[in-house]
Amino acid sequence: MIHTGERYINPLTDFGFKRIFGTPFNRDLLISFLNAVLDGERNIVELKYNNSEKFGTNESQRKAVFDVYCTTDDGSRFIVEMQNVYQDFYKDRSIFYSTFPITDQAKKGVWNYELQPVYTVGVLNFAFPEDKRSDDSGIFREVKLMDINRKEVFYDKLTYIYIELANFNKELEDCKSMIDKWLFCLKNMSNLLERPTELQGRVFEKLFKTAEIAKFKPMELKAYEQSIGAYRDIVNGMDAAKREGIAIGEAKGRAEGLTAGKLEMAKEMARKLKAAGVSDDIILLSSGLTMEQLKKL
């Protein structure tokens, strides 16, 4: 059940993210968020939602299910995805997903292959593993096709924007830009008891009204409870993995040196993280198992 102290939904749950951004009634919230992300690169005035379930050209090909898929008033296609934990080949998946709005534009008959821009926006509640091996704690990655010799963009109609929300740690009083305010809401809304005075304007007023749990219908409340339960399982699993990983590291360093009892505990933790979709790299780091031991699970 939802804790009685929570007034607003957690936008990082599947239900919360889609309630805020995934319905035509709230398209003004999505427009505001995307314009904040684009930061003047283009200005979206209106958009329409597309079918979020896409199939290949035949039944044997893999399908894709997006959190949000829309077309803006200038013809650009946007995929917006929320991802809570890193998964192996996450980048590959985002590239694969972007092929669907590209092929959607194919026209029958004579066609000159002109395409409208395609954007994939990933809101990530984690930092890419390579960030942990460097001093880079940035929040935004904007990726385009680039000529590596000339160091310039080769094709500007295909854009991937990754927002590493785990690296966003600003206090509200330090959030001056629209995107900072949006990211603060996404990360902290479920901990707030009322809308802060710093978050003024029609967009944030509607955002907080949309997110108010007390206004949910019974079926909506049930769906959110299921979604928040799944989210908490992931968070608790990751927290337990970190704690256990530290304990294992201090005691033995690697699973080869663990006692039989601790080895079984590490294996059980690894199984739970694997079931939650956590990448092998993070499981190995957290559990202390070797790759050979992980493959045997």
Side-chain angles (χ1 to χ4, degrees):
M1 295 294 291
I2 298 172
H3 192 278
T4 55
E6 295 178 8
R7 181 177 180 181
Y8 303 107
I9 58 174
N10 187 336
L12 304 183
T13 62
D14 183 66
F15 177 93
F17 194 79
K18 291 177 180 176
R19 182 177 180 85
I20 291 171
F21 294 125
T23 64
F25 178 74
N26 289 333
R27 64 181 180 274
D28 51 339
L29 299 182
L30 180 59
I31 289 172
S32 173
F33 176 69
L34 290 178
N35 281 333
V37 170
L38 295 173
D39 192 26
E41 180 178 327
R42 63 180 61 238
N43 182 51
I44 301 170
V45 177
E46 187 55 272
L47 58 77
K48 65 176 181 180
Y49 286 84
N50 302 329
N51 185 357
S52 61
E53 187 173 18
K54 306 299 295 182
F55 295 86
T57 55
N58 59 65
E59 292 183 358
S60 65
Q61 291 184 332
R62 185 137 183 125
K63 70 177 182 179
V65 181
F66 312 127
D67 288 338
V68 179
Y69 176 35
C70 63
T71 301
T72 65
D73 51 306
D74 66 356
S76 300
R77 269 72 168 176
F78 279 81
I79 295 171
V80 187
E81 289 279 302
M82 175 68 222
Q83 183 73 20
N84 271 303
V85 294
Y86 180 76
Q87 296 179 342
D88 289 335
F89 309 113
Y90 170 76
K91 295 177 184 178
D92 301 63
R93 191 185 78 181
S94 66
I95 301 298
F96 173 71
Y97 275 17
S98 70
T99 64
F100 287 90
I102 293 174
T103 55
D104 276 353
Q105 299 182 53
K107 299 178 182 179
K108 294 182 179 180
V110 179
W111 176 43
N112 63 1
Y113 292 95
E114 181 183 9
L115 295 172
Q116 297 299 321
V118 171
Y119 290 82
T120 297
V121 179
V123 181
L124 315 178
N125 197 20
F126 59 86
F128 282 111
E130 56 264 32
D131 289 349
K132 298 180 180 180
R133 299 190 293 268
S134 69
D135 295 329
D136 183 9
S137 59
I139 300 168
F140 294 92
R141 292 173 181 246
E142 182 171 349
V143 181
K144 296 180 184 287
L145 293 180
M146 179 181 178
D147 184 327
I148 61 173
N149 293 318
R150 298 187 178 185
K151 307 298 182 185
E152 62 186 23
V153 175
F154 174 77
Y155 185 77
D156 65 355
K157 290 184 179 181
L158 186 59
T159 305
Y160 302 89
I161 299 174
Y162 302 108
I163 304 171
E164 297 180 74
L165 198 59
N167 290 335
F168 181 82
N169 298 302
K170 287 187 177 181
E171 299 295 333
L172 183 54
E173 57 266 25
D174 299 321
C175 295
K176 306 303 180 183
S177 67
M178 195 66 169
I179 187 59
D180 281 350
K181 292 177 180 179
W182 264 112
L183 297 185
F184 179 87
C185 290
L186 292 179
K187 193 166 185 177
N188 299 287
M189 176 175 284
S190 61
N191 297 320
L192 301 176
L193 296 179
E194 60 182 11
R195 177 164 62 98
T197 56
E198 293 90 342
L199 299 174
Q200 297 299 319
R202 179 184 54 82
V203 165
F204 291 115
E205 181 180 353
K206 182 173 182 178
L207 171 64
F208 278 81
K209 285 183 178 179
T210 299
E212 194 164 0
I213 296 173
K215 296 182 178 180
F216 286 6
K217 297 177 181 178
M219 289 299 294
E220 293 173 328
L221 184 60
K222 183 177 180 180
Y224 178 57
E225 287 176 343
Q226 293 174 342
S227 188
I228 195 67
Y231 173 81
R232 286 171 177 165
D233 285 345
I234 292 174
V235 172
N236 290 338
M238 292 297 293
D239 289 345
K242 291 177 182 177
R243 292 193 299 270
E244 186 69 17
I246 293 173
I248 292 173
E250 291 176 347
K252 298 294 180 180
R254 298 296 294 174
E256 292 93 332
L258 296 175
T259 64
K262 285 188 176 181
L263 179 57
E264 287 306 310
M265 290 175 59
K267 288 181 177 179
E268 180 62 25
M269 177 180 62
R271 291 189 188 98
K272 292 180 179 180
L273 292 176
K274 192 76 173 176
V278 178
S279 70
D280 287 349
D281 287 343
I282 294 178
I283 294 176
L284 291 173
L285 180 64
S286 302
S287 67
L289 295 175
T290 65
M291 178 58 76
E292 183 180 356
Q293 289 169 326
L294 181 60
K295 288 181 177 179
K296 291 180 179 179
L297 296 182

